[in-house]
Amino acid sequence: MTAFVVRRILVNIVVFILIGIGVFLLVRAAPGDPVRMMIRPEDMQEGGEAFIAARRAELGLDDPILIQYGRWFLDALTGNLGDSFVNRQPVSGLLLKRLGPTVLLMSTALAISLLIAIPLGTIAAVRRNTSVDYAAAALSLGVISVPSFFLGIVSIYIFSLQLGWLPSSGMSTPGGGGGTDVLQHLIMPAAILGLASAGPLTRYVRGSLIDELSADYVRTAEAKGAAPGRVVTRHALRNSLIPLITIIMINVPQMLAGAVVLEQVFAWPGMGQLAVRAVTAQDYPVIVGFALYVAALVLICNLLADIAYAAVDPRVKVT
Amino acid sequence: MAMVLAVAACSDPTQNEDTSGSGDDGASSGSEDTTLNAYLYQPPAANWSPMAPASGPDGVVMNLIYDSLLGVDPDYKLYPRLAADLPEISEDGLTITYTLQEGLTWSDGEPFTAEDVVFTYNLMADPDTGSTASGRFADVVGGPEVAAGTADTVTGFTAPDDTTFQIQLSKPNIGLVGLTGNIWIVPQHVLADVPVDEMDTAEFFTQSPNVGMGPYIFQEYATDQYVHLVKNPSFREGEVDIDEIYLRPVTSDVATAQLGTGEMDLVQIAAPDLETVEAMDGIEVGSGPGAGYIRTSVNELKPYLQDPRLRQAMLYAVDRQQLIDEALGGNATPVNASFMNDAMPDDLETYDYDPDKARELLAEMNWDPNQVVQLSWIAGQRDRDTAATILESQLNEVGIKLELNQVQPGQLTDMMNNQSYDMTLYGGGNYATEPFAVFAINACSTHFPAGGNLSYWCNEEFDQLMLEANATVDEAARYDLYQQAARIENAEVPMIYLYNPDTIWAHTDALKGFVPNGDFTNPFWNVQEWTLER
């Protein structure tokens, strides 16, 4: 098992470095010039070229791309992802500041989606092809098809404007604050994000549980006279949750995409806003930093899924 | 969203729980702390250095925490702020002398002197500080040397005494006052030890610019959520009335809705939302014309786009009033030259909508109706997108095959570098305060990338008039020359001028003293006269 984990980690590190090279090259292959974007054409007269020359030299953009990459890679090994072109602050700091809010939003959303998906999927599977099952199907299809930004705007309208129950934006009240304050701000974006991923998860739980319920060991247990509820919760559900671990882990990056959108709608101070602005300003170091963060997230989630899967299901061959 | 706003407008603004803690409808006494919540149209880049590349939302913050020698009022006239009066210009036009107000102090209590001004202007002239403005000082004695890196300080910036700041020029340049008078002054006593090439990463600018001359002091930036400012007790006009300001970057839709709930006190709104906001209780609306305008540069390097009659025909073919009504609900003014205010003569050709005249001109010049002309622009702003589609249909109607081409910002930069576009739609600029500013978009010597002339238009007579005007000290004579230049530009149509959009503000009626400014980065220009009575 240890050898398995170590090997997977090493493979992931190599993949991560390759992704880094790819993103670095791709971002620089995009059209445009970040230094020219900093200066208004009107300011270009006479001294403009001096500014551009000074800035290019300072940002190291005059060097061949391989030298730029090498320098960036060596810095990155020490945790230094360079400075943002736009505001001259270290990228790692910019990302770190926004990591907390994004993680808080995503983990709360994940918890909410599990709290919805597991019971709902179980009920739908046990009472397959009844009105309850159809209702659950319709519900999950509904939340899959409605874009989360729309749900966001509608819920701001209902819960903030009409009912006045929840704050409409930000992570804390200016000048106020505290845990309950953050919680109030968290409810709407986390619930919407959770709901969005609860849809597909419910379908997975249902499908996977149905498979288990028709398995031989379930029928054996039933034949032996075990109580139906006990069979479902103790045997079938437990086994059906094994593939769910993978699904959840694969779902996390998708959730991040949803978070990027919702962060815009709710002015949630997470990664999303930073990423969008970095792309429009061609802020190379921030774009690369963000892409690496997403890549790391995906790789770590996949790794955890593999390990967890191997750990809970002895049938998985550890090689 | 319009529906959301409409219903929000009907709801009682006082019935909702107020999360800002400042929304009591009853008239409360003035002794309590007053807090103003204002909308910021984007999160700031969070580098509050006057030398940093121009960023609107950061400009809003800097206008509150720093002060400048001169300010620009909503009529785009210069007025003295830190200076006691407008500067004196010597008869030969070579010396600009500012007299500063006496006895001023920084927000930390240190005295403010002309040395602070010299220090700041030197930083602005040096590209190593990250300054994009070094080119503006090309006519200052010693300016080009600093820009080129062969000197450390500009010899033409001097402080003969504590309240006098002088600029020595190598050739007369009256426009320099309008282009540099509003530079935000930064404290020498705080920044003197920061190496020049580290100025753009100085902690003072990126973390805590908490010493200034402005009406407010920087308190905190809660990342992407709000900038918190408190009043500056040492402000030159005495303490301001509103104790605290929170600048909050949220989406325009949310901000407009929050105006109805009392969470937001001051918001810049989009023209399509105007009707909804006007229907809200307790909200006042005001607007001012912007300092620049939306235009379409026509690339005259392309042989088929060189005949001025083609561009005149394009202007006649476009119903700009319809465009303004459709895209901006009437909140804009058609434009017929780059010049504004006093530099604008009143006898210009107005190019009123006349498709027949357009066809005539095209026939006269033997325009090939099969020639495709491509309009490239960065899509995403409602009014500009509408403008592009109207241009397409109306130009097609008179026989100009216009093709729309949406591009990304980076693509457009590349097209500009390669001079490869036919026409490009863009906006901005500040041409209202100082007429010489249009030299950068119109002169033979300012063809992109050496300047902002994206039409690659060149008219030597125009250039000569502009340069002569900029060297003329006498104001009446100067403006007469600008008006002559404006006539040439108006006749030759280097670009398809479209409209000058209004900046529209909406605020709670508890806010008194607000005067709408067309410059959307400077809503707080007279914040010292504001009160919040609730």
Side-chain angles (χ1 to χ4, degrees), chain A:
Chain A
M1 183 71 186
T2 316
F4 166 77
V5 172
V6 168
R7 193 167 326 126
R8 293 309 305 263
I9 290 176
L10 288 178
V11 167
N12 274 314
I13 288 175
V14 173
V15 171
F16 187 68
I17 291 172
L18 290 177
I19 290 174
I21 295 175
V23 171
F24 195 91
L25 295 178
L26 270 179
V27 168
R28 275 162 175 73
D33 178 341
V35 177
R36 285 219 184 270
M37 286 182 83
M38 287 178 198
I39 183 165
R40 295 176 305 174
E42 283 101 326
D43 278 338
M44 281 299 298
Q45 324 172 61
E46 305 187 56
E49 290 301 336
F51 165 80
I52 287 190
R55 211 14 108 78
R56 287 194 144 277
E58 189 189 359
L59 300 177
L61 289 169
D62 289 333
D63 300 324
I65 184 125
L66 281 180
I67 304 235
Q68 288 185 46
Y69 177 77
R71 190 171 43 217
W72 176 86
F73 182 75
L74 290 178
D75 280 347
L77 286 181
T78 65
N80 173 8
L81 294 174
D83 290 348
S84 154
F85 286 176
V86 173
N87 71 0
R88 311 299 296 128
Q89 291 175 47
V91 172
S92 43
L94 293 175
L95 289 171
L96 211 61
K97 260 187 203 156
R98 290 155 176 92
L99 183 65
T102 297
V103 167
L104 177 66
L105 175 62
M106 285 180 54
S107 51
T108 314
L110 187 63
I112 291 174
S113 73
L114 290 177
L115 285 174
I116 298 172
I118 294 177
L120 199 62
T122 308
I123 295 170
V126 172
R127 307 185 61 178
R128 183 162 29 143
N129 297 332
T130 65
S131 50
V132 181
D133 185 19
Y134 296 141
L139 208 69
S140 51
L141 207 70
V143 292
I144 295 169
S145 5
V146 180
S148 52
F149 75 86
F150 179 74
L151 274 183
I153 291 177
V154 169
S155 56
I156 288 176
Y157 165 63
I158 296 175
F159 297 106
S160 302
L161 302 188
Q162 284 304 294
L163 301 171
W165 290 350
L166 295 168
S168 56
S169 62
M171 186 171 160
S172 56
T173 305
T180 43
D181 183 52
V182 172
L183 198 65
Q184 282 185 334
H185 284 81
L186 181 61
I187 292 173
M188 271 201 288
I192 292 166
L193 193 57
L195 211 59
S197 65
L201 279 185
T202 307
R203 306 306 296 156
Y204 284 121
V205 172
R206 177 186 177 275
S208 158
L209 189 56
I210 284 172
D211 286 348
E212 293 298 332
L213 285 175
S214 57
D216 290 343
Y217 73 93
V218 172
R219 267 183 285 163
T220 311
E222 277 172 346
K224 281 183 172 171
R230 194 180 151 81
V231 173
V232 171
T233 52
R234 284 294 166 90
H235 300 283
L237 185 59
R238 188 178 286 183
N239 279 335
S240 73
L241 290 186
I242 293 172
L244 192 66
I245 296 172
T246 322
I247 299 297
I248 291 170
M249 290 301 171
I250 292 170
N251 201 25
V252 166
Q254 272 183 5
M255 213 169 190
L256 181 74
V260 166
V261 175
L262 279 175
E263 282 175 5
Q264 297 278 339
V265 174
F266 286 96
W268 188 261
M271 299 274 177
Q273 303 226 23
L274 181 72
V276 170
R277 266 182 295 149
V279 170
T280 22
Q282 291 196 303
D283 197 344
Y284 294 164
V286 177
I287 301 175
V288 174
F290 177 75
L292 284 183
Y293 155 80
V294 174
L297 191 75
V298 173
L299 292 176
I300 290 170
C301 286
N302 284 342
L303 183 69
L304 287 179
D306 287 349
I307 295 172
Y309 206 76
V312 294
D313 190 344
R315 287 172 300 180
V316 175
K317 268 205 194 121
V318 175
T319 48

Side-chain angles (χ1 to χ4, degrees), chain B residues 38-374:
Chain B
Y39 159 71
L40 200 56
Y41 63 99
Q42 273 167 23
N47 189 330
W48 293 286
S49 159
M51 286 77 73
S55 155
D58 296 84
V60 175
V61 177
M62 288 194 274
N63 270 320
L64 281 161
I65 59 178
Y66 302 131
D67 213 335
S68 45
L69 298 178
L70 306 178
V72 178
D73 70 15
D75 295 326
Y76 295 104
K77 299 263 188 256
L78 294 168
Y79 70 98
R81 284 181 69 96
L82 292 173
D85 210 334
L86 293 179
E88 267 178 46
I89 298 168
S90 64
E91 260 174 52
D92 59 6
L94 291 176
T95 309
I96 300 171
T97 307
Y98 284 98
T99 305
L100 310 183
Q101 290 191 38
E102 278 180 33
L104 299 183
T105 55
W106 290 93
S107 58
D108 63 356
E110 290 291 317
F112 163 77
T113 73
E115 287 296 342
D116 288 306
V117 183
V118 173
F119 176 74
T120 304
Y121 275 62
N122 268 311
L123 295 180
M124 291 301 292
D126 190 341
D128 283 344
T129 62
S131 171
T132 60
S134 55
R136 294 185 200 166
F137 302 104
D139 292 337
V140 177
V141 176
E145 287 82 350
V146 169
T150 54
D152 290 336
T153 51
V154 179
T155 46
F157 296 145
T158 52
D161 59 60
D162 277 357
T163 55
T164 309
F165 170 59
Q166 254 181 1
I167 302 177
Q168 296 292 339
L169 299 171
S170 51
K171 69 173 199 231
N173 182 344
I174 312 304
L176 191 70
V177 174
L179 296 179
T180 62
N182 57 355
I183 285 172
W184 294 296
I185 308 300
V186 294
Q188 184 180 24
H189 67 276
V190 176
L191 294 161
D193 294 335
V194 178
V196 165
D197 56 352
E198 286 168 27
M199 203 53 84
D200 53 352
T201 55
E203 205 170 289
F204 177 80
F205 291 127
T206 61
Q207 303 297 325
S208 173
N210 53 7
V211 178
M213 296 291 294
Y216 285 82
I217 302 175
F218 181 92
Q219 196 70 15
E220 180 202 7
Y221 171 46
T223 308
D224 293 343
Q225 293 193 81
Y226 55 82
V227 180
H228 180 201
L229 307 155
V230 296
K231 67 176 167 187
N232 173 8
S234 322
F235 183 57
R236 61 185 158 80
E237 289 193 22
E239 270 183 56
V240 291
D241 192 68
I242 297 170
D243 299 291
E244 293 176 280
I245 294 178
Y246 286 97
L247 300 170
R248 300 164 59 183
V250 295
T251 63
S252 149
D253 288 340
V254 169
T256 310
Q258 286 182 337
L259 198 60
T261 65
E263 285 176 87
M264 206 63 95
D265 299 309
L266 173 63
V267 173
Q268 186 198 337
I269 58 169
D273 291 335
L274 182 59
E275 213 175 311
T276 313
V277 172
E278 278 176 335
M280 289 181 180
D281 281 338
I283 300 299
E284 285 176 21
V285 176
S287 69
Y293 61 96
I294 309 296
R295 56 191 174 264
T296 303
S297 279
V298 183
N299 182 352
E300 292 183 30
L301 298 177
K302 305 254 173 135
Y304 50 93
L305 299 172
Q306 281 167 352
D307 194 324
R309 285 174 294 184
L310 169 66
R311 290 160 347 235
Q312 291 165 350
M314 285 181 176
L315 263 186
Y316 282 121
V318 179
D319 187 347
R320 288 175 290 166
Q321 193 56 50
Q322 180 211 343
L323 170 58
I324 289 166
D325 291 343
E326 243 174 63
L328 294 138
N331 296 289
T333 322
V335 173
N336 292 302
S338 305
F339 295 82
M340 294 181 167
N341 296 349
D342 296 342
M344 182 83 158
D346 46 20
D347 55 357
L348 292 184
E349 172 60 49
T350 53
Y351 296 103
D352 293 329
Y353 180 53
D354 190 347
D356 289 334
K357 180 118 191 214
R359 287 190 196 95
E360 244 170 67
L361 283 163
L362 291 171
E364 201 182 293
M365 62 169 287
N366 292 320
W367 171 253
D368 174 8
N370 292 316
Q371 175 65 55
V372 174
V373 180
Q374 207 176 47

